[in-house]
Amino acid sequence: MGEPLKPLNIGIVGAGKISGAYLSTLARLTSLRLTAVTDLDLSRAQSVAEQAKAGGEVAVAPSVAALVARDDVDTVLNLTIPAAHADVALAALGAGKHVYGEKPLATNRKEAASVLAAARAAGLRVGCAPDTVLGTGTQTARKAVDDGLIGRPVAATAFMTSAGHEKWHPDPEFYYRPGGGPLLDMGPYYLSALVHLLGPVVRVTGASSRPRAERTIGSGPRAGHSFPVEVDTHITGVLEHAGGALSTLVMSFDIRAARLPRIEVHGTSASLSVPDPNGFDGPVEIHRGEGWETLPVSAGHPDAGRGVGLADLAEALSAGRPHRASAELAAHVLDIMLTLMDAADQGRALPVTTTCERPAPVAGADR
């Protein structure tokens, strides 16, 4: 199959909790090599470097500027908080580095547009989570849709319901500040899956609410501490896809318990049950009129983990093709979410002004 893929040298910015999931994946992907890490708390960066050094020495850079300037960093893995995503991405692009970041791409349209413009001007790649949609769950479901197993897609439902992160997270305030809330926190998983399954969104309408003005931390050293809620915590919407299908979306931090499916797609001849898009795998079931049956795994990366989208970017660079977890998809998903919140505020349907190509499907490639 030609020359082996030269490993892409990765520098991590942000050594928080999510970095552990990426380290696990990086350790088993030959297309990626971790070379440097930095964090506002350098002791956390040192801890990540120690965990990762089995694959080679990992330097601890004293700052973002120092990390992006390193010759042994080709691509920056941006694992900072959402408010810093655009700034770190722009710093990396300005230093001539590709970027792959955690979701969302940015917290507003202007920042997202600036990242895309900087990447185009520099001829560099920007990728963005979630890459869960590249696993066997969403991709097997997508193949079923593409193969016509459900007929013409008519509708979809997507539900993410919880009582709120403050029950388990020791420092949950950022989930309830601007840039947070259930839609911006969890929406990228569900909306990225819907775009893979049904294509881009052209119009939205919705409603939202904020039932509680305060939340109380339920675990950790600050248990019992109350803090203000600054964003709406229950959002519902209807999305019109370019192909005509309508998706109903519910994202909530106000539901104590529910038996709602994660995602279902309904067509003219069958219905499809899709696993949780916050995971990489899970059973895909189809109902053709005589009960649910499980489809065999037919597409997607098996045994995938956080970082498979970064590996896809590395392979795309080598092959000269578009990468799947793209900034264009992430910017469209961000625009869908922000337009949905605008529609809820204004009480009317609004057009989604961005679009993107539906990413290429993932064949059942072994990794």
Side-chain angles (χ1 to χ4, degrees), residues 13 38 61 63-71 73 76 88 91-97:
V13 177
T38 192
S63 66
V64 173
L67 183 136
V68 301
R70 292 181 64 92
D71 292 336
V73 171
V76 171
V88 172
L93 293 167
K97 314 297 184 181

Side-chain angles (χ1 to χ4, degrees), residues 42-70:
L42 290 181
S43 67
R44 294 202 309 185
Q46 185 64 51
S47 177
V48 165
E50 289 294 325
Q51 291 177 59
K53 73 176 183 179
E57 280 303 313
V58 177
V60 175
S63 66
V64 173
L67 183 136
V68 301
R70 292 181 64 92

Side-chain angles (χ1 to χ4, degrees), residues 151-168:
R152 178 174 58 84
V154 173
T157 55
F159 301 113
M160 193 296 299
T161 60
S162 79
H165 293 347
E166 72 276 11
K167 300 300 179 185
W168 56 269

Side-chain angles (χ1 to χ4, degrees), residues 72-366:
D72 63 351
V73 171
D74 304 314
T75 300
V76 171
L77 176 54
N78 184 3
L79 304 182
T80 56
I81 61 172
H85 284 178
D87 286 343
V88 172
L90 290 171
L93 293 167
K97 314 297 184 181
H98 305 293
V99 185
Y100 183 92
E102 258 301 312
K103 52 79 185 172
L105 178 66
T107 58
N108 59 63
R109 296 179 182 90
K110 183 178 179 181
E111 288 181 345
S114 69
V115 171
L116 265 64
R120 284 194 295 267
L124 295 167
R125 301 283 188 115
V126 177
C128 187
D131 54 5
T132 49
V133 292
L134 305 182
T136 56
T138 298
Q139 290 297 315
T140 293
R142 174 177 175 163
K143 189 172 190 304
V145 173
D146 290 351
D147 287 351
L149 298 189
I150 66 169
R152 178 174 58 84
V154 173
T157 55
F159 301 113
M160 193 296 299
T161 60
S162 79
H165 293 347
E166 72 276 11
K167 300 300 179 185
W168 56 269
H169 199 293
D171 298 294
E173 287 94 335
F174 72 95
Y175 288 112
Y176 298 92
R177 292 172 181 155
L183 184 58
L184 285 177
D185 177 40
M186 296 300 294
Y189 297 105
Y190 289 78
L191 291 169
S192 296
L194 289 173
V195 171
H196 270 266
L197 292 164
L198 299 172
V201 173
V202 296
R203 187 170 63 160
V204 300
T205 188
S208 62
S209 64
R210 195 179 311 178
R212 285 178 278 170
E214 286 190 341
R215 299 269 176 150
T216 302
I217 299 174
S219 65
R222 301 171 63 228
H225 171 76
S226 295
F227 59 91
V229 175
E230 302 176 37
V231 295
D232 287 351
T233 51
H234 184 95
I235 297 98
T236 185
V238 176
L239 321 175
E240 181 182 339
H241 294 267
L246 300 177
S247 290
T248 301
L249 182 77
V250 174
M251 300 275 119
S252 183
F253 286 165
D254 291 297
I255 294 179
R256 193 64 51 186
R259 293 177 175 175
L260 296 166
R262 297 297 187 176
I263 294 179
E264 289 183 346
V265 183
H266 306 283
T268 52
S269 58
S271 291
L272 203 64
S273 176
V274 185
D276 185 353
N278 193 18
F280 288 89
D281 52 19
V284 177
E285 297 178 299
I286 192 168
H287 196 298
R288 311 176 207 246
E290 297 183 359
W292 291 99
E293 57 182 293
T294 301
L295 291 174
V297 171
S298 59
H301 294 296
D303 303 317
R306 309 265 174 177
V308 69
L310 178 56
D312 181 76
L313 187 152
E315 293 160 8
L317 277 168
S318 178
R321 62 164 174 83
H323 54 286
R324 293 177 174 91
S326 70
E328 289 75 17
L329 171 59
H332 181 55
V333 165
L334 176 65
D335 194 25
I336 295 169
M337 296 188 294
L338 296 177
T339 305
L340 177 54
M341 291 192 288
D342 289 342
D345 289 341
Q346 298 175 30
R348 62 191 180 100
L350 292 175
V352 177
T353 58
T354 62
T355 190
C356 68
E357 293 293 328
R358 193 175 174 220
V362 180
D366 197 9

